[in-house]
Amino acid sequence: MQKNRLKIAIQKSGRLSKESLELLKNLGIKVHIQEQNLVAFASNFNIDILRLRDDDIPALVFDGMVDLGIVGENVLKEHELERKALGLSADFELLKKLDFGYCRLSLALPNSFEYNGLKSFENLRIATSYPYILKDFMQKNNIPYKTCSLKGSVELAPKMNLADAICDLVSSGATLEANSLKEIESIFESKACLIKRKSSLSEENELLLEKLMLRIDGVMQARESKYIMLHSPKNKIDEIISLLPGVETPTILPLAHSDDKVVLHMVSKENLFWETMEKLKEVGASSILVLPIEKMLK
Ligand code: PRT
Ligand code: ZN
């Protein structure tokens, strides 16, 4: 592995791997991943992709062993709090919150538990894989509790009489429901994020990063945006535009063989729901097309 290449750590296999790799590919980084290899070399940039357990990524960035990392904010926060509790440094720069890996760390109780506000957690034993985030929250709310640290199967702890409550990641809520638990309070909202080591990069890698950051903005903006084309009566243009969320100035084109209608082309920064399309139609719009956008560069 050459020294001067930009090193990016991503999760090897798990909930963030597919989207992390997809993001890198959308940035134009060409990498060929071989399942058994932990390092993949980009063929068109001086970039190496390191594929690791997500739990290992924060410390490698804090210690400057890798330049960039893609990791869940939950894992990042937990490791940051742990390092600080141990009196160690946990320096990093948050470059970008990404648009995947959404989840929340929540307190949950058995359905049968009579919950009367956060005080109900006083002196309960709470199972979690996130002891430092939990401790931080409980201390801020002045609630004494007992802890039970588990690396996995946290949702089973109450059934197994290992704990009274849990503090675990939730996304759809199906796991809690399947284990007769009710979500009480979200204590930390999370998504995947791109972080950078604090110590400076080489001038060359700094320039490469600048280029990648512009491309990330382009990819993320494109994912949120839609290209809209429709036919509009000439006297309804303003009304139609006012119905469209996050629309920039449209391009107005003549419609062949029509004196009273024009064609509008525009980019909307939001998705377009059926309800809006139906309203557009009521106002007189027709031939409404909503297209995904692949890339944007302003
Ligand atoms: O092997 P490695 O250590 O790299 O992976 P891992 O097993 O530690 O992590 P992984 O792949 O499960 O999750 C990676 C990251 O994805 C997490 O750190 C979060 O940032 C994010 N993420 C998003 C989630 C979820 N959604 C999620 N639902 N991580 C875990 N879950 C689990 C949760 O722990 C619970 O067991 O899914 C279950 C709940 O899901 P619902 O949909 O039933 O509520
Ligand atoms: Zn992990």
Side-chain angles (χ1 to χ4, degrees), residues 1-9 24 27 29 31 39-42 45-50 64-69 95 194-197 199-213 216:
M1 217 154 102
Q2 284 174 27
K3 251 192 149 178
N4 56 351
R5 290 168 68 89
L6 189 77
K7 291 190 200 63
I8 309 180
L24 298 178
L27 299 183
I29 302 172
V31 269
V39 186
F41 307 101
F45 279 116
N46 281 331
I47 293 177
D48 293 340
I49 308 297
L50 280 74
M65 306 302 292
V66 299
D67 303 311
L68 305 177
L95 291 182
L194 175 69
I195 53 171
K196 173 179 171 274
R197 73 171 208 216
S199 47
S200 54
L201 305 177
S202 67
E203 205 175 316
E204 199 181 313
N205 283 346
E206 203 59 66
L207 287 173
L208 176 54
L209 178 59
E210 249 173 59
K211 183 195 272 253
L212 293 179
M213 290 311 293
I216 288 188

Side-chain angles (χ1 to χ4, degrees), residues 96-151:
K96 195 93 196 162
K97 294 194 181 194
L98 303 169
D99 53 4
F100 59 90
Y102 295 99
C103 59
R104 54 198 186 270
L105 185 65
S106 286
L107 285 164
L109 282 165
N111 284 335
S112 55
F113 193 102
E114 268 186 51
Y115 177 69
N116 287 309
L118 270 184
K119 287 270 167 213
S120 301
F121 283 97
E122 262 187 23
N123 301 319
L124 294 192
R125 189 171 293 280
I126 309 174
T128 190
S129 311
Y130 294 85
Y132 288 96
I133 300 182
L134 175 63
K135 187 175 170 198
D136 189 56
F137 177 83
M138 292 308 229
Q139 274 181 349
K140 281 179 183 151
N141 286 282
N142 258 324
I143 300 169
Y145 69 103
K146 287 178 273 205
T147 189
C148 165
S149 257
L150 292 177
K151 286 283 178 217

Side-chain angles (χ1 to χ4, degrees), residues 13-292:
S13 51
R15 286 187 161 83
L16 304 182
S17 346
K18 194 171 149 257
E19 279 158 304
S20 301
L21 259 184
E22 211 169 274
L23 175 68
L24 298 178
K25 285 187 178 160
N26 285 336
L27 299 183
I29 302 172
K30 289 189 181 145
V31 269
H32 177 63
I33 300 289
Q34 281 183 312
E35 203 32 57
Q36 70 277 16
N37 289 351
L38 299 186
V39 186
F41 307 101
S43 58
N44 58 339
F45 279 116
N46 281 331
I47 293 177
D48 293 340
I49 308 297
L50 280 74
R51 301 163 64 234
L52 303 161
R53 293 273 320 256
D54 63 350
D55 315 78
D56 293 334
I57 295 174
L60 289 171
V61 175
F62 298 158
D63 294 335
M65 306 302 292
V66 299
D67 303 311
L68 305 177
I70 297 179
V71 68
E73 290 176 279
N74 52 316
V75 172
L76 177 66
K77 186 75 187 173
E78 182 66 14
H79 284 81
E80 187 190 359
L81 291 173
E82 181 181 15
R83 292 273 287 231
K84 287 186 173 157
L86 296 171
L88 300 169
S89 65
D91 294 332
F92 67 94
E93 199 180 317
L94 177 65
L95 291 182
K96 195 93 196 162
K97 294 194 181 194
L98 303 169
D99 53 4
F100 59 90
Y102 295 99
C103 59
R104 54 198 186 270
L105 185 65
S106 286
L107 285 164
L109 282 165
N111 284 335
S112 55
F113 193 102
E114 268 186 51
Y115 177 69
N116 287 309
L118 270 184
K119 287 270 167 213
S120 301
F121 283 97
E122 262 187 23
N123 301 319
L124 294 192
R125 189 171 293 280
I126 309 174
T128 190
S129 311
Y130 294 85
Y132 288 96
I133 300 182
L134 175 63
K135 187 175 170 198
D136 189 56
F137 177 83
M138 292 308 229
Q139 274 181 349
K140 281 179 183 151
N141 286 282
N142 258 324
I143 300 169
Y145 69 103
K146 287 178 273 205
T147 189
C148 165
S149 257
L150 292 177
K151 286 283 178 217
S153 305
V154 172
E155 68 280 2
L156 300 178
K159 262 190 210 153
M160 294 166 80
N161 280 327
L162 294 175
D164 309 298
I166 70 164
C167 176
D168 199 11
L169 294 178
V170 181
S171 121
S172 67
T175 305
L176 292 183
E177 208 181 309
N179 287 284
S180 311
L181 296 164
K182 56 185 171 190
E183 186 174 359
I184 301 294
E185 177 145 343
S186 156
I187 68 166
F188 190 83
E189 303 279 326
S190 178
K191 46 185 156 174
C193 62
L194 175 69
I195 53 171
K196 173 179 171 274
R197 73 171 208 216
K198 199 72 191 187
S199 47
S200 54
L201 305 177
S202 67
E203 205 175 316
E204 199 181 313
N205 283 346
E206 203 59 66
L207 287 173
L208 176 54
L209 178 59
E210 249 173 59
K211 183 195 272 253
L212 293 179
M213 290 311 293
L214 278 177
R215 291 191 183 185
I216 288 188
D217 285 342
V219 169
M220 287 177 65
Q221 264 177 31
R223 280 212 276 246
E224 286 162 15
S225 306
K226 293 282 175 258
Y227 195 81
I228 302 169
M229 297 191 273
L230 53 82
H231 295 175
S232 163
K234 276 185 180 162
N235 59 351
K236 291 289 166 78
I237 296 176
D238 289 342
E239 203 173 335
I240 282 177
I241 292 171
S242 71
L243 285 172
L244 291 163
V247 148
E248 297 180 349
T249 336
T251 305
I252 304 176
L253 303 162
L255 178 62
H257 313 301
S258 172
D259 291 333
D260 56 346
K261 282 191 175 181
V262 288
V263 183
L264 300 186
H265 281 203
M266 61 217 125
V267 171
S268 164
K269 292 209 182 88
E270 295 172 36
N271 201 352
L272 209 67
F273 296 104
W274 281 112
E275 289 75 7
T276 313
M277 292 179 65
E278 283 153 8
K279 271 192 211 144
L280 288 168
K281 212 162 163 51
E282 275 166 32
V283 177
S286 56
S287 303
I288 308 167
L289 286 182
V290 181
L291 308 171

